[in-house]
Amino acid sequence: MNAAQKEHAPQSNTWRKAFAGTVAGISAAAQWVDTIAADRQLPEQLVFALQVCLEELLSNIVRHGGSESSGGLSRGAIPPVNVEITISLSNQGISMAVEDDGKPFDIASAPAHRIDQPLNAVEPGGLGIQLIRNFASTIAYERAGLGNRVVVEFLL
Amino acid sequence: MNVDIVDLDNGITNVLLSGRMDVQGALAVDRNFSAIADAKKKVVIDLSQVTFLASLGIRTLIMSCKTLASKGGNMVLLNPQPNVEKVLRTSGVDTVIQIVRDMNAAAAIFSK
């Protein structure tokens, strides 16, 4: 099976694709997931939840995953980390595994923050983790695959 | 992501956003928001055409609203789509920036 077939194999319930850990890579991954969702006619709310988690996981990797991360999304990590995403469909729902070879970071154990202070005291950090925990049914982290491996599940 | 800024007769600035306010979208409108926060006072962010909102987009909204508030201004969020509103409420944005359904409600908040 060549790369194109592996990316989007007919009748397959599993898709896997590599992306660069860059802003352009995040957009490409979102479009790839939309293509799968349209092909399988997945429910809109489930696709939205999947996209929220994908976006937050990848933006975290781009901002913080590199050994020489600039801390800014305009440049991202230097050099960009490598990312691989696996989407699996089952009767129970959708599973999405995001692997990267950046710095070790257990996002499943990291603190989440909801805005709960006056506006002048708000520092909007940790909101992405808050969103992942609320939009995914489960989240798990392990050191596996490329290095970091996060699996989020969305139950039907 | 597109941004259309209109100054209304009643002193309100209407900022109509359309598209995905994801990482790429937030980076694209950050400069617009900085300029709005510096120059305007009563700002309505019309989210009715925004199909997606990520934490970086939330950061753009919060930082602009903080700048506005520091000089006596205010911001409200108009008519978000249900999924986007869920992001706003899940993150707690609605506790610091009010969500309204129409311009009359926005004007009432600014007149307080």
Side-chain angles (χ1 to χ4, degrees), chain A residues 7 13 28 46 63 86 88 95 98 127 150:
Chain A
E7 173 189 330
N13 285 321
L46 193 145
R63 281 182 292 165
T86 306
S88 301
S95 170
V98 177
L127 293 178
V150 180

Side-chain angles (χ1 to χ4, degrees), chain A residues 6-148:
Chain A
K6 189 176 180 181
E7 173 189 330
H8 198 181
Q11 302 309 314
S12 170
N13 285 321
T14 300
W15 295 259
R16 184 174 178 87
K17 192 170 182 183
F19 297 92
T22 61
V23 171
I26 298 174
S27 295
Q31 288 172 14
W32 177 66
V33 168
D34 269 344
T35 302
I36 295 169
D39 184 52
R40 291 307 179 94
Q41 299 181 311
L42 299 176
E44 183 208 339
Q45 282 196 319
L46 193 145
V47 175
F48 188 87
L50 185 65
Q51 289 282 14
V52 166
C53 294
L54 177 70
E55 175 88 10
E56 300 302 339
L57 289 169
L58 295 186
S59 79
N60 193 69
I61 290 168
V62 173
R63 281 182 292 165
H64 307 300
S67 57
E68 294 182 60
S69 175
S70 66
L73 279 163
S74 57
R75 293 182 65 193
I78 308 168
V81 299
N82 296 298
V83 177
E84 286 192 13
I85 303 170
T86 306
I87 307 278
S88 301
L89 305 186
S90 70
N91 291 335
Q92 288 73 45
I94 300 175
S95 170
M96 176 172 69
V98 177
E99 298 176 12
D100 72 82
D101 61 359
K103 289 189 290 190
F105 178 62
D106 180 0
I107 198 167
S109 301
H113 297 291
R114 184 177 188 274
I115 294 170
D116 58 0
Q117 57 274 83
L119 178 64
N120 61 5
V122 173
E123 292 296 335
L127 293 178
I129 298 172
Q130 167 78 3
L131 293 176
I132 293 168
R133 297 230 176 108
N134 278 272
F135 277 87
S137 303
T138 67
I139 177 170
Y141 170 86
E142 61 180 338
R143 291 291 293 167
L146 292 180
N148 295 298

Side-chain angles (χ1 to χ4, degrees), chain A residues 27 55-56 114-115 122, chain B residues 23-24 55 66 89-91:
Chain A
S27 295
E55 175 88 10
E56 300 302 339
R114 184 177 188 274
I115 294 170
V122 173
Chain B
V23 170
Q24 200 163 44
S55 61
K66 285 178 77 167
R89 295 192 185 281
T90 299
S91 55

Side-chain angles (χ1 to χ4, degrees), chain B residues 1-3 10-11 24 30 33 35 37 47 53-54 61 65 70 78:
Chain B
M1 156 143 275
N2 292 316
V3 55
N10 56 4
Q24 200 163 44
D30 257 350
F33 269 78
L47 294 174
L53 177 63
L61 296 174
C65 191
S70 70
L78 176 63

Side-chain angles (χ1 to χ4, degrees), chain B residues 55-75:
Chain B
S55 61
L56 203 73
I58 293 172
R59 182 184 180 84
T60 298
L61 296 174
I62 293 286
M63 299 315 284
S64 301
C65 191
K66 285 178 77 167
T67 301
L68 279 166
S70 70
K71 56 189 184 69
N74 199 1
M75 172 189 287

